[in-house]
Amino acid sequence: MAPHPGQILGHTQALTAVDWSADGTRILTAGLDGRAYLWRADEFDRPPVTVFTGARPVARARLAPDGRRVAALVEGEVQVWDDKAGTALPALDRWGDVETLAWSPDGAHLAVLDRFDRVAVWTSPPDGPVEVVGRAQAVAWSGPSRLVGLAADAALTWDGLRNWTVDDQATIPEMPVDVAWSGDGQWVAVATSDGLLAGPNLLELRSVAVPPRGSYRRSLRLAAPTRGPRFLMWDPTPTVIDLETGTVLVQLTEHGYRDAAFSPDGQRLVTCAARVRPQPPTRSQSPVRAAEVRRTADLVVEDVIDGRWSMRGERLGTLVVPTEIVGDGLRGRPTVRLPIEVRDASLHSVGVSAYGLGDNGFDLIPGLYQVRTLGRDGEFRSEVHRVVAGQSNLRDDSRTSGRRRVLINVHGDIVGRDQLVRAASPFVMIETLGADALTDDSPWILEAARSSAEMPTALFRHPGGLHRCSLPIEQGSPSAATRCLVVSTTGPDGGDRLVVTAGTGRELVGLVENMIRAGTVLEAPRILDQALHLLEQKQADPPGAALGALCLHRIGQLTMQPSWVENLARWYPWLADGQVLLAALLAEGVRAERDRGLDLLLAAARKRLLLTDGLALLISLLRRWPDDFRNRARGRALRDLAPLLAGVDWEAIYLTNREGG
Amino acid sequence: MTEIKSELPGWKGAVTRALVIGVSNYPFVTGPAATDRGRDSGFANLGCAARTAAEVALWLLDEHHDPEAPLASLQILLSPGEAEVPAHVSARLGNPSPATREAAEGALRKLFDESAGRRDDRIVVYVAGHGVQVTRTDVTLLLEDFGAGPRSRKLFAAGIDMAEAHAAFVDDDLPRRQTWFVDACRRPTDATAEYAEVQAPPIFDLRRRGVVDSSPLILSASRGAGAFGAAGGLTFFGEALLDGLRGAAAAPPGADEDGWAVTVGSLGSYLVKQVRARAAARAQEQLVDVTGTANPAVIHRFMTPPEVALRVELSPDEAHPSSIGSLMADGTTCVCGPSTEWPAEWSVAAGLYTLNVDTEPPYQPVVHRPLLLAPPSQVATVTVGAG
């Protein structure tokens, strides 16, 4: 599949396979990112020459001798990629666990062995037919059209003309695990559950002493060069053995290798390992190292394939954007990573990261880029960065610039701690229910009382009348929701107003509040959804969870299961907003559910709600309940709510209203 | 009822159907035909609702671009004040019928019926006028015949419950993508006792519900006519809406998209901020709320990236004669300038650029200053300090 113009070359996820072309000029890499690349084996400082691009992870890959086709195992499908789209192996029953992909030396056939010991031969892939030829525990090509399979008691051959036939002459070691022929047909090695055998043919196998390397015999695999007696044993770390002398030439000690392949002359080895998972550089890491060529003694270790490239052959630079984390994460408390989007000079999106670990790195063609981030104040911000080839942009100041602690938000403006000035307030707190006031003037800090069955509220006197606020605190609970703030402020119309906020120590709820105030919920509903799930999972903040749930419900994006809403309604009876939310879900159910929903709704109408959105939903449901019954009860509930509605500050997140006309 | 149908020769794909209602004139509230109950309601004629609706209708006819669903029909109902809507605009719109309850109900039913079974179509609804708002997300639009009829007639019989109408269109048989705008001048809050009675006669059966992909109901609620808009102009919301649709709310393409577009998310966020800011600049308060199903969806597409009006101001003034400014793309291609005129004013496609100002001693040149240019306009201030 051809790459699209401007595509970035280089693996974005871990490598799973490497291979060397028969002429020794190309190295194949393939990985979980669904991509495969051909690199120039001796010109590693240049971008890859060919790329095969798919969307699904590649588990194994082998390069055809012609160097133009790649056989790949992609989520259980065997595909052959050439310059066109990959072609999957025609459907065979349960070919999901392929253990071996082996090209014939002339590239005319591809042998496939699965874990059920079935062997298929694909002729002239990707266009030719596939034939299931029989069963074996290990297969290898001993010549251009001669596939040899080893079973527990027999050697079998397929020569391209006849079916799988038993080779009566061969001496079959017990429990063969893998077999490999050198490309010139002069050497064969057989790995068994007991060790390694080798010889010029299957009749003259002898034991080869190899250092004990653990108990992974079942996973012992072999690879062979085009010519010569050097074989690669794999149990599971690579060991290179000279079969002629029985000498171990290279024994790699690190774990986590996923694949390795010889150069045709047997002088070099290319490996890939999980530990070299390609990642963007950070200040402590070197650039991407996708694969390595190793030589020791005459196999010299040598780094290759270093860095990433554009399709136009430009060396890339790296844009590292620090992840903004909301929530302190202490004692299991939840955190949310805020999303990052990177756009090129035309403002086309080239990368999005919402949930990545650590800093977010983007390998990019040199030029200008916009980084758009959601801040903890609920606002999106933009910065312009210049990406320079082979360099990272990371600056220490960018790591901390977005971390200004936002304490409170009034009439849509973000106010930092340093700007929070105690000013004479026209409001006087005269009463609290279910809460204790820790301060006696704005900002009032209110703490949950030990226990109460009512919605906590605070009552304020103002020259224009009395104002009551619902308070987002949970009583008698060890959750984080023990304190909140009430601030006196002035609206753009000059009117005095009370603003309630979750306050300090409840950063996730603060984020939700800020996103609502900033109007960014529509652009980043997933973040709100994630925050809500975290709040719910941890039972960390029921008022905050109710706030997020109602906000998402209002824009049709609440993804919580009904059982969660049921729990919200059951577990927190003082939080009637949960009952309203449950009623809204039940209103769309069958008649019995609707009846229950209406009961819940009428009961909730008699309670004080926490959230303005909860009240709006309550009113909407009372006015438009889908069944035409109990209309009097609904009408009575609406009439009873009329005095409250008349004084509601609809801009407030937490229900705030004038009382007593 | 007035309906304008677009010619779409050979087009067999999805289409957009639109309904626009604007009510400024309430003859039963004020003037010679006013009734006692109309006068007692506390309402007055509006100066810009019908004009704004007409402008939105014109935008739909002339500028709306959705290659997947071109505009097929536009129903318009207008009740303007005297000389509120210029004659040529009215003529262009086919001299729309008055926006009475009967006409509005008929238009909604027609929209419902014509959209039935056409899930891939789009619906756009814009209404403006007096509203009675029970909550932030629950508004009844008052139509021209509000206050008419005998006292026995329910006061809000000449209204349309927009939340109910919007909810009724969330139907498994109707278009999956809809956009609803309600631009309402909220009723003064002194007549609070009637909140429980605010119930316009229903039009649709809400028991028939379904699922749509995206159907935001974007509501603007002003506290009184002063916050609604200036007479002879547009409503604050309508003004911001049209600016947004013309590019100010345009979002660049996402990872899987081709071009710039106004989306539910970009328009909703823009309106929330802009309407609040525009009203606050006039010492007024106006809120925009979004409810319904606000999933990501495109409302309007641009064929090319929107233009940005860039103004570059150079200081100090003494440096003007010796300074030359240019705007570069990719750091190498000059796309605007070189200019020796200050301030420099250029129009350029939205994107990232660098600004160069070449100057002579004692001033220091500015080299490759990055600029993010987003629609509709931007001012960059550059100082060439003395070395």
Side-chain angles (χ1 to χ4, degrees), chain B residues 169-203:
Chain B
F169 274 71
V170 179
D171 188 298
D172 284 336
D173 199 36
L174 293 182
R176 280 184 281 259
R177 290 191 188 180
Q178 309 171 21
T179 313
W180 294 62
F181 302 99
V182 177
D183 187 0
C185 177
R186 191 193 297 176
R187 169 199 173 109
T189 54
D190 51 352
T192 54
E194 293 182 14
Y195 269 116
E197 310 300 331
V198 174
Q199 194 84 47
I203 301 175

mmCIF file of all heavy atoms in Angstrom, chain B residues 169-203:
data_model
loop_
_atom_site.group_PDB
_atom_site.id
_atom_site.type_symbol
_atom_site.label_atom_id
_atom_site.label_comp_id
_atom_site.label_asym_id
_atom_site.label_seq_id
_atom_site.Cartn_x
_atom_site.Cartn_y
_atom_site.Cartn_z
ATOM 1 N N PHE B 169 -38.002 15.979 16.830
ATOM 2 C CA PHE B 169 -37.239 15.642 15.632
ATOM 3 C C PHE B 169 -36.134 14.626 15.921
ATOM 4 O O PHE B 169 -35.419 14.205 15.014
ATOM 5 C CB PHE B 169 -36.645 16.911 15.007
ATOM 6 C CG PHE B 169 -37.594 17.615 14.066
ATOM 7 C CD1 PHE B 169 -38.711 18.286 14.553
ATOM 8 C CD2 PHE B 169 -37.389 17.605 12.699
ATOM 9 C CE1 PHE B 169 -39.591 18.923 13.697
ATOM 10 C CE2 PHE B 169 -38.260 18.241 11.830
ATOM 11 C CZ PHE B 169 -39.371 18.905 12.323
ATOM 12 N N VAL B 170 -35.959 14.280 17.177
ATOM 13 C CA VAL B 170 -35.009 13.195 17.509
ATOM 14 C C VAL B 170 -35.770 11.890 17.290
ATOM 15 O O VAL B 170 -36.345 11.315 18.191
ATOM 16 C CB VAL B 170 -34.507 13.325 18.955
ATOM 17 C CG1 VAL B 170 -33.541 12.188 19.289
ATOM 18 C CG2 VAL B 170 -33.812 14.662 19.146
ATOM 19 N N ASP B 171 -35.774 11.476 16.057
ATOM 20 C CA ASP B 171 -36.659 10.401 15.613
ATOM 21 C C ASP B 171 -35.872 9.479 14.695
ATOM 22 O O ASP B 171 -35.064 9.938 13.885
ATOM 23 C CB ASP B 171 -37.838 11.037 14.852
ATOM 24 C CG ASP B 171 -38.913 10.036 14.515
ATOM 25 O OD1 ASP B 171 -38.613 9.068 13.767
ATOM 26 O OD2 ASP B 171 -40.045 10.213 14.978
ATOM 27 N N ASP B 172 -36.131 8.196 14.835
ATOM 28 C CA ASP B 172 -35.391 7.218 14.030
ATOM 29 C C ASP B 172 -35.661 7.330 12.539
ATOM 30 O O ASP B 172 -34.974 6.700 11.737
ATOM 31 C CB ASP B 172 -35.739 5.797 14.492
ATOM 32 C CG ASP B 172 -35.050 5.447 15.798
ATOM 33 O OD1 ASP B 172 -34.009 6.056 16.084
ATOM 34 O OD2 ASP B 172 -35.565 4.583 16.525
ATOM 35 N N ASP B 173 -36.684 8.088 12.180
ATOM 36 C CA ASP B 173 -37.050 8.184 10.771
ATOM 37 C C ASP B 173 -36.609 9.510 10.156
ATOM 38 O O ASP B 173 -36.832 9.747 8.983
ATOM 39 C CB ASP B 173 -38.571 8.040 10.654
ATOM 40 C CG ASP B 173 -39.002 7.670 9.244
ATOM 41 O OD1 ASP B 173 -38.262 6.898 8.588
ATOM 42 O OD2 ASP B 173 -40.043 8.169 8.785
ATOM 43 N N LEU B 174 -35.997 10.362 10.951
ATOM 44 C CA LEU B 174 -35.647 11.702 10.475
ATOM 45 C C LEU B 174 -34.133 11.843 10.306
ATOM 46 O O LEU B 174 -33.365 11.001 10.763
ATOM 47 C CB LEU B 174 -36.174 12.749 11.455
ATOM 48 C CG LEU B 174 -37.704 12.844 11.536
ATOM 49 C CD1 LEU B 174 -38.118 13.938 12.500
ATOM 50 C CD2 LEU B 174 -38.303 13.117 10.162
ATOM 51 N N PRO B 175 -33.704 12.903 9.646
ATOM 52 C CA PRO B 175 -32.264 13.074 9.394
ATOM 53 C C PRO B 175 -31.422 12.960 10.650
ATOM 54 O O PRO B 175 -31.771 13.475 11.711
ATOM 55 C CB PRO B 175 -32.198 14.479 8.799
ATOM 56 C CG PRO B 175 -33.489 14.624 8.079
ATOM 57 C CD PRO B 175 -34.502 13.932 8.955
ATOM 58 N N ARG B 176 -30.281 12.317 10.457
ATOM 59 C CA ARG B 176 -29.382 12.077 11.592
ATOM 60 C C ARG B 176 -28.636 13.327 12.018
ATOM 61 O O ARG B 176 -28.095 13.377 13.113
ATOM 62 C CB ARG B 176 -28.356 11.001 11.219
ATOM 63 C CG ARG B 176 -28.888 9.600 11.325
ATOM 64 C CD ARG B 176 -27.789 8.597 11.039
ATOM 65 N NE ARG B 176 -27.576 8.476 9.619
ATOM 66 C CZ ARG B 176 -28.051 7.476 8.878
ATOM 67 N NH1 ARG B 176 -28.727 6.517 9.453
ATOM 68 N NH2 ARG B 176 -27.835 7.428 7.592
ATOM 69 N N ARG B 177 -28.562 14.302 11.128
ATOM 70 C CA ARG B 177 -27.812 15.523 11.466
ATOM 71 C C ARG B 177 -28.727 16.726 11.365
ATOM 72 O O ARG B 177 -29.277 17.010 10.295
ATOM 73 C CB ARG B 177 -26.622 15.693 10.528
ATOM 74 C CG ARG B 177 -25.541 14.681 10.758
ATOM 75 C CD ARG B 177 -24.319 15.096 9.998
ATOM 76 N NE ARG B 177 -23.310 14.064 10.039
ATOM 77 C CZ ARG B 177 -22.130 14.171 9.451
ATOM 78 N NH1 ARG B 177 -21.824 15.257 8.788
ATOM 79 N NH2 ARG B 177 -21.244 13.206 9.517
ATOM 80 N N GLN B 178 -28.846 17.415 12.458
ATOM 81 C CA GLN B 178 -29.696 18.601 12.508
ATOM 82 C C GLN B 178 -28.979 19.666 13.326
ATOM 83 O O GLN B 178 -28.168 19.356 14.196
ATOM 84 C CB GLN B 178 -31.037 18.254 13.180
ATOM 85 C CG GLN B 178 -31.743 17.043 12.604
ATOM 86 C CD GLN B 178 -32.946 16.630 13.437
ATOM 87 O OE1 GLN B 178 -33.492 17.425 14.199
ATOM 88 N NE2 GLN B 178 -33.352 15.382 13.306
ATOM 89 N N THR B 179 -29.319 20.904 13.049
ATOM 90 C CA THR B 179 -28.793 22.005 13.854
ATOM 91 C C THR B 179 -29.924 22.990 14.105
ATOM 92 O O THR B 179 -30.575 23.430 13.154
ATOM 93 C CB THR B 179 -27.639 22.735 13.136
ATOM 94 O OG1 THR B 179 -26.716 21.767 12.614
ATOM 95 C CG2 THR B 179 -26.908 23.640 14.100
ATOM 96 N N TRP B 180 -30.138 23.286 15.360
ATOM 97 C CA TRP B 180 -31.237 24.173 15.744
ATOM 98 C C TRP B 180 -30.661 25.379 16.491
ATOM 99 O O TRP B 180 -29.853 25.220 17.410
ATOM 100 C CB TRP B 180 -32.222 23.447 16.668
ATOM 101 C CG TRP B 180 -32.972 22.315 16.017
ATOM 102 C CD1 TRP B 180 -32.448 21.175 15.491
ATOM 103 C CD2 TRP B 180 -34.387 22.226 15.828
ATOM 104 N NE1 TRP B 180 -33.436 20.371 14.995
ATOM 105 C CE2 TRP B 180 -34.646 20.990 15.192
ATOM 106 C CE3 TRP B 180 -35.463 23.048 16.147
ATOM 107 C CZ2 TRP B 180 -35.936 20.580 14.874
ATOM 108 C CZ3 TRP B 180 -36.751 22.635 15.826
ATOM 109 C CH2 TRP B 180 -36.972 21.420 15.191
ATOM 110 N N PHE B 181 -31.130 26.563 16.083
ATOM 111 C CA PHE B 181 -30.737 27.794 16.771
ATOM 112 C C PHE B 181 -31.990 28.498 17.283
ATOM 113 O O PHE B 181 -32.949 28.674 16.517
ATOM 114 C CB PHE B 181 -30.011 28.748 15.820
ATOM 115 C CG PHE B 181 -28.781 28.158 15.176
ATOM 116 C CD1 PHE B 181 -28.822 27.646 13.882
ATOM 117 C CD2 PHE B 181 -27.573 28.132 15.852
ATOM 118 C CE1 PHE B 181 -27.701 27.112 13.284
ATOM 119 C CE2 PHE B 181 -26.432 27.604 15.262
ATOM 120 C CZ PHE B 181 -26.499 27.085 13.975
ATOM 121 N N VAL B 182 -31.937 28.889 18.543
ATOM 122 C CA VAL B 182 -33.033 29.677 19.108
ATOM 123 C C VAL B 182 -32.428 30.961 19.666
ATOM 124 O O VAL B 182 -31.638 30.930 20.603
ATOM 125 C CB VAL B 182 -33.772 28.905 20.219
ATOM 126 C CG1 VAL B 182 -34.852 29.792 20.833
ATOM 127 C CG2 VAL B 182 -34.388 27.639 19.657
ATOM 128 N N ASP B 183 -32.801 32.072 19.034
ATOM 129 C CA ASP B 183 -32.239 33.385 19.365
ATOM 130 C C ASP B 183 -33.379 34.175 20.007
ATOM 131 O O ASP B 183 -34.183 34.799 19.312
ATOM 132 C CB ASP B 183 -31.764 34.024 18.056
ATOM 133 C CG ASP B 183 -31.019 35.317 18.277
ATOM 134 O OD1 ASP B 183 -30.864 35.729 19.441
ATOM 135 O OD2 ASP B 183 -30.605 35.927 17.271
ATOM 136 N N ALA B 184 -33.442 34.104 21.330
ATOM 137 C CA ALA B 184 -34.651 34.598 21.999
ATOM 138 C C ALA B 184 -34.357 35.762 22.925
ATOM 139 O O ALA B 184 -33.369 35.753 23.651
ATOM 140 C CB ALA B 184 -35.298 33.468 22.796
ATOM 141 N N CYS B 185 -35.247 36.736 22.863
ATOM 142 C CA CYS B 185 -35.235 37.802 23.854
ATOM 143 C C CYS B 185 -36.108 37.333 25.005
ATOM 144 O O CYS B 185 -37.316 37.188 24.863
ATOM 145 C CB CYS B 185 -35.796 39.076 23.237
ATOM 146 S SG CYS B 185 -35.910 40.417 24.412
ATOM 147 N N ARG B 186 -35.469 37.074 26.130
ATOM 148 C CA ARG B 186 -36.180 36.426 27.224
ATOM 149 C C ARG B 186 -37.212 37.373 27.839
ATOM 150 O O ARG B 186 -36.977 38.564 27.987
ATOM 151 C CB ARG B 186 -35.197 35.998 28.301
ATOM 152 C CG ARG B 186 -35.803 35.101 29.334
ATOM 153 C CD ARG B 186 -34.907 34.966 30.530
ATOM 154 N NE ARG B 186 -33.633 34.353 30.218
ATOM 155 C CZ ARG B 186 -32.659 34.210 31.118
ATOM 156 N NH1 ARG B 186 -32.826 34.664 32.345
ATOM 157 N NH2 ARG B 186 -31.539 33.644 30.785
ATOM 158 N N ARG B 187 -38.313 36.808 28.196
ATOM 159 C CA ARG B 187 -39.387 37.563 28.832
ATOM 160 C C ARG B 187 -38.880 38.171 30.142
ATOM 161 O O ARG B 187 -38.135 37.527 30.884
ATOM 162 C CB ARG B 187 -40.513 36.583 29.121
ATOM 163 C CG ARG B 187 -41.595 37.080 29.994
ATOM 164 C CD ARG B 187 -42.348 35.867 30.550
ATOM 165 N NE ARG B 187 -43.309 36.318 31.544
ATOM 166 C CZ ARG B 187 -44.614 36.302 31.352
ATOM 167 N NH1 ARG B 187 -45.107 35.842 30.241
ATOM 168 N NH2 ARG B 187 -45.430 36.738 32.287
ATOM 169 N N PRO B 188 -39.276 39.395 30.438
ATOM 170 C CA PRO B 188 -38.923 39.975 31.740
ATOM 171 C C PRO B 188 -39.371 39.059 32.865
ATOM 172 O O PRO B 188 -40.408 38.382 32.762
ATOM 173 C CB PRO B 188 -39.697 41.292 31.762
ATOM 174 C CG PRO B 188 -39.943 41.617 30.342
ATOM 175 C CD PRO B 188 -40.071 40.320 29.628
ATOM 176 N N THR B 189 -38.640 39.018 33.889
ATOM 177 C CA THR B 189 -38.861 38.002 34.903
ATOM 178 C C THR B 189 -39.843 38.406 35.989
ATOM 179 O O THR B 189 -39.943 37.747 37.002
ATOM 180 C CB THR B 189 -37.527 37.654 35.579
ATOM 181 O OG1 THR B 189 -36.943 38.865 36.052
ATOM 182 C CG2 THR B 189 -36.595 36.957 34.621
ATOM 183 N N ASP B 190 -40.586 39.485 35.789
ATOM 184 C CA ASP B 190 -41.491 39.868 36.868
ATOM 185 C C ASP B 190 -42.758 39.019 36.889
ATOM 186 O O ASP B 190 -43.367 38.835 37.930
ATOM 187 C CB ASP B 190 -41.853 41.353 36.771
ATOM 188 C CG ASP B 190 -42.336 41.738 35.384
ATOM 189 O OD1 ASP B 190 -42.242 40.888 34.481
ATOM 190 O OD2 ASP B 190 -42.792 42.876 35.217
ATOM 191 N N ALA B 191 -43.156 38.498 35.743
ATOM 192 C CA ALA B 191 -44.387 37.709 35.713
ATOM 193 C C ALA B 191 -44.097 36.258 36.057
ATOM 194 O O ALA B 191 -44.427 35.333 35.342
ATOM 195 C CB ALA B 191 -45.033 37.800 34.334
ATOM 196 N N THR B 192 -43.447 36.046 37.170
ATOM 197 C CA THR B 192 -42.948 34.707 37.499
ATOM 198 C C THR B 192 -44.047 33.713 37.822
ATOM 199 O O THR B 192 -43.848 32.520 37.677
ATOM 200 C CB THR B 192 -42.016 34.795 38.707
ATOM 201 O OG1 THR B 192 -42.709 35.452 39.757
ATOM 202 C CG2 THR B 192 -40.769 35.560 38.348
ATOM 203 N N ALA B 193 -45.151 34.202 38.244
ATOM 204 C CA ALA B 193 -46.185 33.277 38.707
ATOM 205 C C ALA B 193 -46.658 32.353 37.603
ATOM 206 O O ALA B 193 -47.225 31.310 37.871
ATOM 207 C CB ALA B 193 -47.352 34.064 39.280
ATOM 208 N N GLU B 194 -46.421 32.762 36.363
ATOM 209 C CA GLU B 194 -46.962 31.951 35.278
ATOM 210 C C GLU B 194 -45.982 30.899 34.770
ATOM 211 O O GLU B 194 -46.278 30.212 33.812
ATOM 212 C CB GLU B 194 -47.370 32.854 34.119
ATOM 213 C CG GLU B 194 -48.547 33.746 34.462
ATOM 214 C CD GLU B 194 -48.952 34.594 33.274
ATOM 215 O OE1 GLU B 194 -48.497 34.287 32.161
ATOM 216 O OE2 GLU B 194 -49.701 35.542 33.468
ATOM 217 N N TYR B 195 -44.860 30.793 35.401
ATOM 218 C CA TYR B 195 -43.884 29.837 34.888
ATOM 219 C C TYR B 195 -44.472 28.433 34.757
ATOM 220 O O TYR B 195 -44.227 27.734 33.778
ATOM 221 C CB TYR B 195 -42.649 29.783 35.785
ATOM 222 C CG TYR B 195 -41.585 30.756 35.365
ATOM 223 C CD1 TYR B 195 -41.213 31.803 36.187
ATOM 224 C CD2 TYR B 195 -40.972 30.619 34.125
ATOM 225 C CE1 TYR B 195 -40.242 32.702 35.795
ATOM 226 C CE2 TYR B 195 -39.999 31.519 33.722
ATOM 227 C CZ TYR B 195 -39.628 32.566 34.566
ATOM 228 O OH TYR B 195 -38.675 33.450 34.172
ATOM 229 N N ALA B 196 -45.193 28.042 35.761
ATOM 230 C CA ALA B 196 -45.741 26.686 35.721
ATOM 231 C C ALA B 196 -46.765 26.526 34.613
ATOM 232 O O ALA B 196 -47.042 25.417 34.169
ATOM 233 C CB ALA B 196 -46.373 26.349 37.063
ATOM 234 N N GLU B 197 -47.318 27.646 34.156
ATOM 235 C CA GLU B 197 -48.368 27.560 33.147
ATOM 236 C C GLU B 197 -47.829 27.752 31.734
ATOM 237 O O GLU B 197 -48.575 27.696 30.771
ATOM 238 C CB GLU B 197 -49.425 28.644 33.423
ATOM 239 C CG GLU B 197 -49.926 28.686 34.860
ATOM 240 C CD GLU B 197 -50.576 27.381 35.261
ATOM 241 O OE1 GLU B 197 -51.113 26.699 34.380
ATOM 242 O OE2 GLU B 197 -50.523 27.047 36.464
ATOM 243 N N VAL B 198 -46.560 28.058 31.649
ATOM 244 C CA VAL B 198 -45.985 28.318 30.330
ATOM 245 C C VAL B 198 -45.961 27.016 29.537
ATOM 246 O O VAL B 198 -45.128 26.163 29.749
ATOM 247 C CB VAL B 198 -44.552 28.879 30.451
ATOM 248 C CG1 VAL B 198 -43.932 29.002 29.061
ATOM 249 C CG2 VAL B 198 -44.581 30.215 31.131
ATOM 250 N N GLN B 199 -46.904 26.883 28.684
ATOM 251 C CA GLN B 199 -46.990 25.635 27.937
ATOM 252 C C GLN B 199 -47.664 25.940 26.612
ATOM 253 O O GLN B 199 -48.884 26.079 26.548
ATOM 254 C CB GLN B 199 -47.797 24.606 28.731
ATOM 255 C CG GLN B 199 -47.657 23.194 28.215
ATOM 256 C CD GLN B 199 -46.409 22.506 28.780
ATOM 257 O OE1 GLN B 199 -46.171 22.565 29.972
ATOM 258 N NE2 GLN B 199 -45.628 21.894 27.911
ATOM 259 N N ALA B 200 -46.878 26.055 25.571
ATOM 260 C CA ALA B 200 -47.466 26.227 24.256
ATOM 261 C C ALA B 200 -48.109 24.906 23.836
ATOM 262 O O ALA B 200 -47.650 23.840 24.249
ATOM 263 C CB ALA B 200 -46.380 26.633 23.258
ATOM 264 N N PRO B 201 -49.165 24.977 23.057
ATOM 265 C CA PRO B 201 -49.799 23.721 22.623
ATOM 266 C C PRO B 201 -48.792 22.834 21.901
ATOM 267 O O PRO B 201 -48.079 23.304 21.011
ATOM 268 C CB PRO B 201 -50.893 24.201 21.660
ATOM 269 C CG PRO B 201 -51.123 25.618 22.025
ATOM 270 C CD PRO B 201 -49.829 26.155 22.515
ATOM 271 N N PRO B 202 -48.721 21.577 22.291
ATOM 272 C CA PRO B 202 -47.736 20.697 21.639
ATOM 273 C C PRO B 202 -48.094 20.447 20.181
ATOM 274 O O PRO B 202 -49.262 20.492 19.801
ATOM 275 C CB PRO B 202 -47.811 19.414 22.468
ATOM 276 C CG PRO B 202 -49.133 19.442 23.126
ATOM 277 C CD PRO B 202 -49.484 20.879 23.338
ATOM 278 N N ILE B 203 -47.085 20.188 19.397
ATOM 279 C CA ILE B 203 -47.282 19.902 17.972
ATOM 280 C C ILE B 203 -47.061 18.426 17.688
ATOM 281 O O ILE B 203 -47.743 17.824 16.883
ATOM 282 C CB ILE B 203 -46.308 20.744 17.120
ATOM 283 C CG1 ILE B 203 -46.537 22.232 17.386
ATOM 284 C CG2 ILE B 203 -46.470 20.428 15.642
ATOM 285 C CD1 ILE B 203 -45.542 23.139 16.687
#
